[in-house]
Amino acid sequence: MNTRRISDSTVRRLSGYLRYLRQLSADGRPVVSSRELADETGTTAAQVRKDLSQFGSFGQRGRGYPVTALRDVLIRILGLRRQWRVCVVGAGRLGSALLGYEDLARRGFEVVAAFEIDPAKVGRSVRGVPVLPVEELEREIDMRGVEIAILAVPDAPARQLAQRLAAAGVTGILNFTSTKIDPGPGVAVRVMDIAVELEGLSYTIVTGASAGGAGP
Amino acid sequence: MNTRRISDSTVRRLSGYLRYLRQLSADGRPVVSSRELADETGTTAAQVRKDLSQFGSFGQRGRGYPVTALRDVLIRILGLRRQWRVCVVGAGRLGSALLGYEDLARRGFEVVAAFEIDPAKVGRSVRGVPVLPVEELEREIDMRGVEIAILAVPDAPARQLAQRLAAAGVTGILNFTSTKIDPGPGVAVRVMDIAVELEGLSYTIVTGASAGGAGP
DNA sequence: TAGATTGTTAATCGATTAACAATC
DNA sequence: TAGATTGTTAATCGATTAACAATC
């Protein structure tokens, strides 16, 4: 066991292990090996053991890892023993697609509100989630105890909204825009940018990197 | 200049530089420094220079990088001189949110078809994109020259659909599901998993890593 | 006991950062 | 010329891989 700072890549892999462990647990499987975890999540057995060993010793030599115990350990490590309260900013196509998303709730993230600037969209409720006017963002975030925001607006207002979210007390932002936001210290940010990923695919395809094809 | 294999992180940053350069170009700015590119995309000036130097020398010492020339270089490097033909598999909430997405077309990715298993959703057209029956996936991909697929279906059918997409000749898949897909060699894969990112935020928040707060 | 598999250390690899001569 | 900023090399840092003794 080790107390270095845990890397992003490690945390990302832990999510993958957790997802598979939940599945195994539902299937009633008692034990799993680092090899199986690795194969199923796209990494190596050594990497799995290394990742887990940064937090403690959870396996049994010769046998493997107990499924439910390891699942619970990962749930604790990732901070998922509690339900997080999430809002979606922007109730356009993408934003409203995320409302009432069952799987998110099951995995610990409950979307409790959406915010929208267009008065035509404000007021109704999408799959049980109220769509509120963005002017009331600060008040509602406070009243509803929102901790994490999903930013699904056009690029233009993204930066300013990130500031407002930070000031309103949100501690994490998942940024779906292509704009770099800077909500300041104390607010964690993750980016999901479709264009970046598609451009990455484009690069890989044209260079033939994954195809084993000849170079340029 | 260098001919090592370019890392994922580098390619991701190139996307960021390109996005900002397009903006500067639209604004008529002639030159930009590595420092400004770095500040605007969340990296360091040294990193920007290092990234670009892997492909050649595009700047002028003492002056900076010519905006439009560098933009065009990045467009070429990333394989964006052509328009990519993209399909969306799964016309549910998320899938249909991606149809007719203007910004994607502007950045080189044209969604030309969607595939859906639910007969109730098949047949209509969403913002100009035809929603086709998934049984015709192979034929339509071939006929329409689709090269990249965005996989926006539930976890259960993801793996099998990835196989079919690969067999149908797709060379890149953007996987929005939480399932590990394995379309085989010759097909590039990128993952966008909301749950993974939210769990990453959760981890960062509970450990206080970005807040500079005290440890656990 | 024999076989399996962990936890951990050491070796390797790659990416980032720092520094600075070159030069606009 | 003086100031700015690149391109590149060397130094540092961190992550991944390999190997294996411990032990179930």
Side-chain angles (χ1 to χ4, degrees), chain B:
Chain B
M1 175 157 174
N2 208 315
T3 312
R4 256 184 308 134
R5 188 175 257 78
I6 304 304
S7 76
D8 249 38
S9 340
T10 298
V11 176
R12 224 173 278 276
R13 285 191 300 265
L14 295 181
S15 279
Y17 307 154
L18 173 55
R19 186 185 156 279
Y20 187 59
L21 287 163
R22 284 183 148 136
Q23 193 178 305
L24 288 181
S25 175
D27 296 350
R29 270 276 300 282
V31 168
V32 66
S33 68
S34 57
R35 163 133 305 283
E36 181 177 350
L37 272 170
D39 290 347
E40 207 61 36
T41 59
T43 183
T44 65
Q47 184 74 80
V48 170
R49 295 199 297 276
K50 186 88 213 213
D51 286 342
L52 296 176
S53 75
Q54 294 182 282
F55 300 94
S57 303
F58 310 111
Q60 253 186 312
R61 292 172 199 243
R63 306 190 59 74
Y65 297 89
V67 167
T68 53
L70 184 57
R71 179 201 60 186
D72 292 341
V73 162
L74 289 180
I75 286 177
R76 179 176 55 68
I77 290 171
L78 290 170
L80 303 173
R81 270 185 307 187
R82 62 218 265 330
Q83 197 80 354
W84 290 90
R85 298 174 71 77
V86 177
C87 73
V88 173
V89 183
R93 290 175 211 157
L94 181 59
S96 34
L98 299 175
L99 303 181
Y101 194 3
E102 285 270 320
D103 197 52
L104 284 190
R106 234 180 296 117
R107 289 175 74 166
F109 301 90
E110 198 190 355
V111 179
V112 297
F115 295 100
E116 169 62 44
I117 196 169
D118 180 356
K121 292 180 191 153
V122 166
R124 21 174 203 156
S125 181
V126 178
R127 286 177 293 274
V129 181
V131 179
L132 308 170
V134 74
E135 306 94 63
E136 288 168 21
L137 186 123
E138 286 79 2
R139 182 197 335 192
E140 293 288 347
I141 281 177
D142 184 45
M143 275 181 28
R144 293 170 194 257
V146 171
E147 300 152 305
I148 293 178
I150 298 177
L151 194 53
V153 297
D155 282 353
R159 215 174 281 234
Q160 203 209 340
L161 281 167
Q163 301 293 338
R164 287 180 63 186
L165 287 164
V170 154
T171 51
I173 299 178
L174 180 53
N175 181 12
F176 267 94
T177 79
S178 290
T179 299
K180 199 215 156 199
I181 60 175
D182 201 1
V187 181
V189 175
R190 292 258 173 163
V191 177
M192 289 191 81
D193 189 326
I194 299 179
V196 168
E197 301 304 324
L198 287 173
E199 286 173 8
L201 282 178
S202 170
Y203 175 82
T204 307
I205 295 171
V206 297
T207 55
S210 92

Side-chain angles (χ1 to χ4, degrees), chain A:
Chain A
M1 175 160 175
N2 209 316
T3 312
R4 257 184 308 135
R5 189 177 256 78
I6 306 305
S7 75
D8 248 39
S9 341
T10 299
V11 175
R12 224 174 279 276
R13 284 191 300 266
L14 294 181
S15 280
Y17 308 153
L18 174 56
R19 186 184 157 281
Y20 186 59
L21 287 162
R22 284 183 148 137
Q23 193 179 304
L24 288 180
S25 175
D27 296 350
R29 269 278 299 283
V31 168
V32 66
S33 69
S34 56
R35 164 134 305 284
E36 182 177 350
L37 273 170
D39 289 348
E40 207 61 35
T41 59
T43 181
T44 66
Q47 183 76 79
V48 170
R49 296 200 297 277
K50 185 90 214 210
D51 286 341
L52 296 175
S53 76
Q54 294 181 280
F55 300 95
S57 303
F58 309 112
Q60 253 185 311
R61 292 169 199 246
R63 305 191 60 76
Y65 298 89
V67 168
T68 53
L70 185 57
R71 178 201 59 186
D72 292 341
V73 162
L74 289 180
I75 285 176
R76 180 176 54 68
I77 290 171
L78 291 171
L80 303 173
R81 271 185 307 188
R82 60 216 271 326
Q83 197 81 352
W84 291 91
R85 299 175 70 76
V86 177
C87 73
V88 173
V89 183
R93 290 174 210 158
L94 180 61
S96 35
L98 300 175
L99 303 180
Y101 195 3
E102 285 269 318
D103 197 53
L104 283 190
R106 235 180 297 116
R107 289 176 73 167
F109 300 91
E110 198 190 354
V111 179
V112 297
F115 295 99
E116 169 60 45
I117 197 169
D118 180 356
K121 292 180 190 153
V122 166
R124 24 175 201 156
S125 182
V126 177
R127 287 176 293 274
V129 180
V131 179
L132 308 171
V134 73
E135 306 94 64
E136 285 166 24
L137 186 123
E138 286 79 2
R139 182 198 336 193
E140 294 288 348
I141 281 178
D142 185 44
M143 275 182 30
R144 294 170 193 257
V146 171
E147 299 152 306
I148 293 177
I150 299 177
L151 195 53
V153 296
D155 282 353
R159 215 174 280 234
Q160 202 209 341
L161 281 168
Q163 301 292 339
R164 287 179 62 184
L165 287 164
V170 155
T171 52
I173 300 178
L174 180 53
N175 182 12
F176 268 93
T177 77
S178 290
T179 299
K180 199 214 157 202
I181 61 174
D182 200 3
V187 181
V189 175
R190 292 256 173 166
V191 177
M192 290 191 79
D193 189 325
I194 299 178
V196 167
E197 302 304 324
L198 287 174
E199 286 172 7
L201 283 178
S202 169
Y203 175 82
T204 307
I205 295 170
V206 296
T207 56
S210 92

